Amino acid sequence: MTSTMKTEEVLHSLQRQVTVPVHSTRELVGKVEEAAADKERERHETFQKRQEEGKTKPGDTYEPLRRKPGLRPLPSQELGVTVRLTFWDILHHLGRGLALSQRGASRGLAEHWGSLKYCQALVADAETYLRLSEEGERIAMYYKALQSEELGQAFALAVSEQILTRRYPDHSVSIVRADTALRAGWTLTSRDKAKTKTVGYHYRPQFFAEVWKPGEPSRVFPIACKGNHSDRQKAYEQLASAAVHADGVHIGAWNETPALLFSTEISLTDPLTVHALHADGPGGWLPIPEGTPTANIGLPLENENPSIGILKPGKGKDPDTSEPGCQVGPDPKYYEWFQRALARVGAAGLTAFAGDGESTAALLNTRQGREFFQGFAHASAGSVQDARYTLLVEEFEGTDHVFRLNGERVQAFSGVAKDILDALVTRKFGNRHADVAAYRQRVHEWKAKRHGTFWDHKWGGVVSISPDGTVLAMRQIPPFDDE
């Protein structure tokens, strides 16, 4: 895909099915273990050198990084060796992932439309494998780190959703930003506006995938994902690093939380490849007391502050110890609380994607960035929820943006199904809180409707509809008439 393509050709290319190879083998597990051992050796040597040079504090000792144990290949029946997707669906996943990222001022272009800068970055070859286009290579020259990070997240989230949907076909899958969810109860950094002690440990997964049904216990999978423009060796190192990040949060008992790990290799010469591993375990569940009303999922989070650290049981006569990180549990009251936190962050992600800062702020606390989404956002620099369209016979509300693609004007629209958004838009109800329980019920019902990437002939553009009721659409705008 080059810059000489007509705008309509670019839009049609975004709905084309592409093949994404997924590398997940026993050999990969061994390579990642070797890379982890090499990195640990380097860390130890660096510590010893600093110690010899007098750059460490008295009493400092070397501590190896804790990594997620029990990594293994993904089951072939869940994934196979390739995944079939459209590139527009990938950009939809990235847009949803960026919705609460707080990148850019005034809920501006970076949150909503950061994914669109990649709409010509990848091209499918004759075998429909994705690779960097000429434009993608130019982007990589100047913004290599950002491109690999964001595209790495996009492919990881798309593949995660496919894996978990196949694993739990009767459940809904919500992807939420891990930092935003954790800030419901923990002060993660000194920049958080809180008087409580910081966690003091910066290794955390980037996302959580919550697998859920209304009124039932849900299961949470930490997702650690990275991307690179190098080679397979770099992917091994990134997965070794992802194992550290994934282990920074435990849900349930010590070492029982499942996890998904990804490194997306965006080669300058070969097809894009996703390297993936997972850790299994009986944990990750958020049990709720029997008889708990479904409406309780929308109760305010209050000012819960779970303990800092992860409880590691002692062996034999050794006492229990506290390892760095965040743990949901072992106190049972935090399971139901964290399910509410995930539900509220999931809802906030949808309202942010629709451009509604006021409703987003009402679902978050101060540490989670409530102030960032409050106040006036100018339509030219921010996102305002004031656009309504019927796409493929469904009604959506959200926000839009007009920009140039190869010199021609196009309109992008991000939104949420009207019936889902109605449960969350607080200004429609005066002082009434968002109805999170109704939102969850409507999202779960929505998954039975048609979703995927389509060309809407009536609207005149490419449309991606997600199982969670969000939509990302783009169409060419006719040129101005001469007068």
Side-chain angles (χ1 to χ4, degrees):
M1 190 186 304
T2 68
S3 58
T4 59
M5 287 183 66
K6 293 181 179 179
T7 299
E8 186 175 357
E9 293 176 324
V10 174
L11 297 181
H12 277 286
S13 71
L14 293 172
Q15 66 165 341
R16 183 184 179 190
Q17 285 276 336
V18 294
T19 302
V20 181
V22 179
H23 179 219
S24 186
T25 64
R26 292 189 180 277
E27 180 188 12
L28 178 60
V29 175
K31 294 293 185 181
V32 172
E33 290 175 349
E34 291 176 8
D38 289 342
K39 285 297 180 182
E40 208 56 61
R41 206 160 28 245
E42 290 177 14
R43 289 185 68 251
H44 193 194
E45 291 172 356
T46 299
F47 176 82
Q48 289 179 322
K49 185 177 180 180
R50 288 176 55 83
Q51 200 172 43
E52 292 168 0
E53 295 173 349
K55 295 181 179 179
T56 58
K57 297 178 181 178
D60 280 356
T61 58
Y62 171 74
E63 292 290 340
L65 289 175
R66 192 181 72 245
R67 302 176 193 271
K68 174 65 70 176
L71 297 182
R72 62 185 68 180
L74 289 160
S76 58
Q77 67 269 23
E78 288 184 354
L79 200 58
V81 295
T82 62
V83 171
R84 296 284 289 171
L85 295 163
T86 69
F87 192 41
W88 192 234
D89 179 55
I90 295 292
L91 297 184
H92 189 173
H93 278 85
L94 177 58
R96 287 157 59 204
L98 290 173
L100 294 177
S101 64
Q102 299 184 35
R103 293 185 176 184
S106 301
R107 308 191 308 278
L109 303 180
E111 282 77 32
H112 277 93
W113 312 117
S115 61
L116 299 187
K117 61 179 174 283
Y118 299 121
C119 65
Q120 294 187 93
L122 295 176
V123 61
D125 61 20
E127 289 77 34
T128 73
Y129 288 108
L130 280 176
R131 61 177 69 241
L132 279 177
S133 65
E134 293 177 9
E135 178 170 315
E137 291 176 3
R138 287 196 295 271
I139 295 174
M141 287 174 61
Y142 302 103
Y143 305 104
K144 184 178 291 187
L146 180 63
Q147 186 190 66
S148 59
E149 175 196 348
E150 292 187 340
L151 288 180
Q153 290 181 359
F155 282 94
L157 297 183
V159 174
S160 294
E161 189 172 86
Q162 283 209 7
I163 292 169
L164 295 175
T165 298
R166 292 174 183 174
R167 195 179 294 183
Y168 300 92
D170 297 328
H171 289 67
S172 291
V173 178
S174 294
I175 306 290
V176 301
R177 296 193 70 85
D179 276 8
T180 308
L182 293 172
R183 282 190 169 99
W186 288 273
T187 301
L188 299 183
T189 70
S190 58
R191 295 190 299 273
D192 295 346
K193 296 181 179 181
K195 297 179 181 179
T196 55
K197 184 180 178 181
T198 62
V199 170
Y201 192 65
H202 67 274
Y203 298 106
R204 290 180 293 279
Q206 288 86 358
F207 297 93
F208 292 126
E210 183 195 9
V211 179
W212 57 273
K213 276 186 177 181
E216 296 185 11
S218 53
R219 197 176 193 196
V220 183
F221 293 78
I223 299 174
C225 48
K226 297 173 180 288
N228 71 82
H229 286 287
S230 298
D231 50 26
R232 288 207 167 184
Q233 182 57 42
K234 183 63 176 179
Y236 304 150
E237 296 171 3
Q238 288 191 329
L239 286 171
S241 173
V244 180
H245 288 267
D247 207 51
V249 177
H250 285 210
I251 299 170
W254 170 259
N255 269 350
E256 292 188 354
T257 309
L260 296 167
L261 282 62
F262 299 92
S263 172
T264 299
E265 180 186 343
I266 312 166
S267 171
L268 296 176
T269 56
D270 298 318
L272 179 146
T273 301
V274 176
H275 304 272
L277 294 174
H278 79 129
D280 204 356
W285 289 100
L286 299 177
I288 55 178
E290 187 174 350
T292 300
T294 302
N296 282 14
I297 193 73
L299 292 177
L301 294 175
E302 303 160 346
N303 293 318
E304 294 284 3
N305 291 290
S307 299
I308 295 173
I310 302 169
L311 181 66
K312 180 180 180 181
K315 293 183 178 180
K317 295 182 180 180
D318 295 334
D320 296 346
T321 57
S322 178
E323 294 290 322
C326 300
Q327 182 176 20
V328 180
D331 189 332
K333 74 175 182 179
Y334 290 117
Y335 295 126
E336 189 263 349
W337 164 82
F338 195 61
Q339 189 189 58
R340 285 189 282 129
L342 291 171
R344 293 181 75 87
V345 174
L350 263 67
T351 55
F353 192 68
D356 187 347
E358 182 180 337
S359 297
T360 302
L363 290 159
L364 303 175
N365 65 22
T366 301
R367 277 186 304 220
Q368 291 173 311
R370 174 188 294 161
E371 293 180 0
F372 182 83
F373 294 95
Q374 288 176 322
F376 175 73
H378 194 280
S380 65
S383 298
V384 181
Q385 190 241 307
D386 61 356
R388 298 169 184 83
Y389 293 106
T390 298
L391 302 171
L392 301 171
V393 308
E394 299 288 353
E395 292 184 73
F396 295 91
E397 295 187 358
T399 185
D400 62 355
H401 176 56
V402 175
F403 66 104
R404 297 276 180 176
L405 180 63
N406 296 342
E408 300 180 8
R409 295 168 68 241
V410 295
Q411 176 194 20
F413 169 69
S414 66
V416 180
K418 184 180 182 302
D419 65 322
I420 295 174
L421 199 61
D422 280 348
L424 298 175
V425 177
T426 54
R427 66 173 175 271
K428 289 187 177 181
F429 307 114
N431 294 324
R432 203 182 103 182
H433 294 296
D435 190 341
V436 177
Y439 141 75
R440 298 267 277 196
Q441 183 64 45
R442 293 172 189 179
V443 166
H444 190 65
E445 292 169 355
W446 179 271
K447 73 185 293 288
K449 296 189 177 185
R450 182 170 64 157
H451 53 269
T453 302
F454 311 93
W455 187 267
D456 188 324
H457 294 277
K458 186 173 182 180
W459 193 71
V462 60
V463 176
S464 170
I465 299 178
S466 172
D468 66 359
T470 60
V471 65
L472 182 66
M474 188 161 66
R475 65 179 174 178
Q476 185 173 351
I477 300 176
F480 292 114
D481 294 331
D482 294 330
E483 296 183 359

